[in-house]
Every structure is written in C-alpha cells, then in structure tokens.
C-alpha cells in the first residue's frame, strides 16, 4: 500500500497525478471512475492538463462505478450525469469508449450488471479503479456487510448512504433507495486501485480502512488485497489515522 499524503490544497493535483500517470503508461487505459464530491477536483485538474496539452486522453476508456436505479438519464443527480459533466463531455469520451449502467427501470437492473461485467472482461480488465470512501466504509455502493468476492449487483442503500447523499437530493426522503454497483470482486481484480479521501469527517473510517481488521462491516478494508493499492488522502483525513 502506498499512502500519498497531501495538504488540503494539493489534494486535487495528487488525484489528477494518479489519473495522468495511468494514462501516460497506457493511453487507452480502462478507468473505473467514482463520482461523489471527492474526485471532482481531480477530474477538473485532469481536464485542465488535457487542455494545456500535458495529458493526451483521446483514447481512454471509462467505466461507470455505480448508479441509482430508476432515475432518468437526463436527471442531473444521476451518477451518470456527474460523470457526463465532469469527465465524458470535457474529455470528449464518446459512447464507444464508455461502459455504463442503463437502469432507468428496476426491471433492467440485473441484466445491466451482467452487461457491465461482460464489458469489463471484453475490455481486458480495469487498469485503474478510482474510488471514494463512504462514511460507512463503502466503495461504490458496496454497502456493509460486503465481502471481497462481491459481484457487480443490485444493492439497497445503507441508511448511512441515504443520509450522506441527502445533500445532493434535497433531503433524505428524495434519495433513491436502490442502486447498482461494480462489485468489490471486480474492483479487486483491477491492476491498480486508488482510494481518494478528503476531510476530517472521513478520519475515523479511513483509519479503520487502513489499519483495522479486514471486515465485511468496512468493505474498503479489503482494498489492501489489491495487486497495487494507492491511497491519496489529505492531511485532514489522515491526521490521527
Ligand atoms: P463523497 O462520497 O466523495 O461525496 O464524500 C464518497 C462515497 O460515498 O462513496
């Protein structure tokens, strides 16, 4: 495990560094990308570097990590919407370089999971899985309890995730209760897993993730099993961790 400790202000650049290094090593890298607030600044910094000609992202392939079930595609709050605004549109990633969940209807959810896993296989696996850390230790919507072999699947949101995502939905009552997520199993098969963590509100769960026992109660604790594992965390998240 490699821990990259940053100041609060250098965090986004450090996240962009992980992405840029992956793309430099393999211009058609297959990137599994989280949404949520943590990686957004890193995505923007990557977009800036691409605009400045420092990174060539014309061949990257992008895989969606997770999605709410039953949300129309054009809803800004869908996780696809986040990905579209922050990565796909600015980096001009077209449909044939994108693997995403299509789960506007709950009836489609299981088939969409199978399609996504098949797609990852056809792409030759993930070069990088860039993940945020949930306040309950989830990655993607791998909610606790979750073992290291968990497949890509339909998952009911944990109450902690409903609470934490309420800020994006205008209240807990509006947060969708069902999600799909790439499983911890396929995540651990990635050639490189990077966990990005920011802020003192994540300090306790980060400590458990890095130093606590491997446990289904903290799904991120299994990330230590990855072939290559990098944790990018700012000093607020790491202090005391
Ligand atoms: P955040 O979400 O980056 O918005 O804190 C992380 C997560 O819940 O996975």
């Amino acid at each position: 495990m490699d821990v990259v400790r940053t100041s609060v202000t250098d965090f986004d650049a450090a996240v962009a560094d992980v992405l840029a290094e992956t793309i430099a090593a393999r211009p058609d890298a297959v990137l599994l990308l989280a949404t949520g607030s943590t990686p957004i600044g890193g995505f923007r910094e990557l977009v800036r570097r691409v605009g400045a000609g420092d990174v060539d992202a014309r061949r990257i392939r992008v895989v969606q990590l997770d999605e709410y079930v039953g949300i129309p595609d054009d809803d800004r709050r869908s996780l696809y919407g986040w990905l579209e605004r922050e990565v796909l549109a600015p980096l001009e990633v077209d449909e044939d370089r994108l693997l995403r969940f299509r789960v506007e209807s709950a009836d489609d959810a299981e088939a969409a999971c199978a399609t996504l896993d098949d797609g990852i296989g056809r792409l030759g696996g993930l070069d990088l899985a860039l993940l945020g850390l949930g306040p309950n230790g989830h990655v993607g919507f791998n909610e606790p309890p979750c073992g290291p072999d968990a497949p890509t699947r339909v998952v009911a949101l944990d109450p902690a995730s409903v609470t934490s995502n309420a800020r994006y939905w205008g209240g807990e009552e509006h947060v969708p209760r069902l999600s799909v997520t790439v499983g911890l199993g396929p995540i651990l098969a990635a050639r490189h897993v990077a966990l990005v963590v920011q802020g003192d509100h994540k300090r306790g769960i980060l400590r458990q993730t890095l130093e606590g026992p491997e446990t289904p109660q903290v799904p991120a604790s299994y990330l230590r099993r990855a072939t290559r594992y990098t944790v990018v965390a700012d000093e607020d998240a790491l202090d005391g961790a």
Side-chain angles (χ1 to χ4, degrees):
M1 174 167 70
D2 231 358
V3 178
V4 178
R5 177 195 170 92
T6 76
S7 66
V8 172
T9 47
D10 291 342
F11 178 78
D12 294 341
V15 174
D17 285 347
V18 173
L19 289 159
E21 282 161 20
T22 305
I23 299 166
R26 185 176 178 193
D28 63 347
V30 179
L31 309 172
L32 180 74
L33 298 182
T35 48
S37 58
T38 310
I40 295 302
F43 294 153
R44 291 181 183 167
E45 171 60 15
L46 179 71
V47 169
R48 193 196 64 73
R49 293 182 194 183
V50 168
D54 299 334
V55 177
D56 181 351
R58 283 175 298 182
R59 293 172 59 204
I60 60 167
R61 277 88 56 86
V62 173
V63 181
Q64 185 178 14
L65 173 63
D66 50 6
E67 185 57 282
Y68 299 105
V69 171
I71 303 303
D73 247 9
D74 57 2
D75 189 313
R76 292 180 52 78
R77 299 166 300 184
S78 74
L79 299 182
Y80 173 75
W82 284 68
L83 204 56
E84 223 271 322
R85 283 191 300 281
E86 301 293 342
V87 177
L88 306 176
L91 294 182
E92 299 177 4
V93 178
D94 44 35
E95 282 281 321
D96 62 339
R97 290 187 291 124
L98 169 68
L99 187 57
R100 57 167 294 202
F101 286 111
R102 291 190 180 275
V103 287
E104 285 186 278
S105 153
D107 297 343
D108 302 335
E110 285 189 12
C113 291
T115 302
L116 205 94
D117 269 346
D118 286 353
I120 292 173
R122 266 186 281 111
L123 290 170
L126 303 168
D127 290 300
L128 176 70
L130 184 84
L131 309 168
L133 177 65
N136 61 352
H138 79 193
V139 289
F141 278 123
N142 286 283
E143 304 287 43
C146 173
D149 302 323
T152 298
R153 68 202 185 287
V154 181
V155 181
L157 261 67
D158 185 68
S161 297
V162 173
T163 304
S164 139
N165 291 334
R167 64 194 194 276
Y168 305 127
W169 291 89
E172 288 193 10
E173 65 277 24
H174 302 300
V175 180
R177 295 308 202 256
L178 210 57
S179 68
V180 284
T181 186
V182 173
L184 212 42
I187 286 172
L188 287 172
R191 289 181 271 280
H192 184 187
V193 171
L195 182 71
V196 299
V197 190
Q198 183 178 44
D200 55 10
H201 61 297
K202 298 277 177 77
R203 196 178 287 171
I205 193 64
L206 180 60
R207 183 185 303 133
Q208 291 182 59
T209 295
L210 302 184
E211 294 170 12
E214 285 189 347
T215 166
Q217 298 311 320
V218 182
S221 65
Y222 292 111
L223 296 178
R224 284 171 264 172
R225 296 187 182 190
T227 309
R228 183 178 167 206
Y229 182 28
T230 302
V231 178
V232 178
D234 74 5
E235 56 201 10
D236 284 354
L238 269 177
D239 278 350

